[in-house]
């Protein structure tokens, strides 16, 4: 292939798109709150992609569960070590999915 061919442009575009996706992923995958907002924003911009709504709801509900681990009731039932382990498991699972 000669430099400057249409294939070079396509490759350049693909690298640009991949780089943009990686940047979005980095910004959106800091914690559960940033993931939930990122899924929601994506759905609002692309409502035809229905799974993004489901992803935002799952992430949001996981956030509620993570908060409940340190609320009023759960600390009376589970010790700190178990709650921390559950919290980190929920966080890790959502991080991996994102």
């Amino acid at each position: 292939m000669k430099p400057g061919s249409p294939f070079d442009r396509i490759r350049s575009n693909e690298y640009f798109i991949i780089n943009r996706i990686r940047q979005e992923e980095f910004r959106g995958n800091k914690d559960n709150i940033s993931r939930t907002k990122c899924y929601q924003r994506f759905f609002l911009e692309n409502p035809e992609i229905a799974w993004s709504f489901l992803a935002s709801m799952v992430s949001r509900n996981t956030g509620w569960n993570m908060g409940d681990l340190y609320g009023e009731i759960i600390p009376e039932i589970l010790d700190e070590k178990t709650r921390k382990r559950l919290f980190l498991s929920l966080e890790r699972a959502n991080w991996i999915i994102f």
Side-chain angles (χ1 to χ4, degrees):
M1 252 185 309
K2 295 186 235 175
S5 74
F7 295 109
D8 288 337
R9 218 174 347 176
I10 291 171
R11 275 199 220 118
S12 177
N13 256 354
E14 288 172 353
Y15 289 125
F16 174 79
I17 291 168
I18 290 168
N19 190 41
R20 180 146 183 239
I21 291 169
R22 286 182 177 154
Q23 289 173 356
E24 284 285 323
E25 178 188 12
F26 181 77
R27 277 194 304 270
N29 205 10
K30 293 187 186 304
D31 56 28
N32 196 64
I33 293 169
S34 66
R35 280 188 291 275
T36 301
K37 287 180 179 180
C38 191
Y39 283 132
Q40 182 183 34
R41 185 177 63 247
F42 185 85
F43 173 71
L44 292 173
E45 292 171 2
N46 306 281
E48 69 280 5
I49 303 178
W51 66 261
S52 59
F53 175 75
L54 178 61
S56 73
M57 292 293 100
V58 168
S59 185
R60 178 182 148 269
N61 289 341
T62 299
W64 281 100
N65 292 329
M66 292 163 80
D68 287 346
L69 290 171
Y70 294 94
E72 294 180 23
I73 298 171
I74 303 294
E76 294 179 14
I77 300 169
L78 299 174
D79 62 85
E80 174 67 24
K81 183 179 178 182
T82 302
R83 286 183 288 129
K84 182 155 181 97
R85 211 178 265 167
L86 283 170
F87 183 93
L88 293 174
S89 295
L90 291 168
E91 175 65 26
R92 178 74 174 167
N94 268 337
W95 178 82
I96 289 169
I97 292 168
F98 191 83

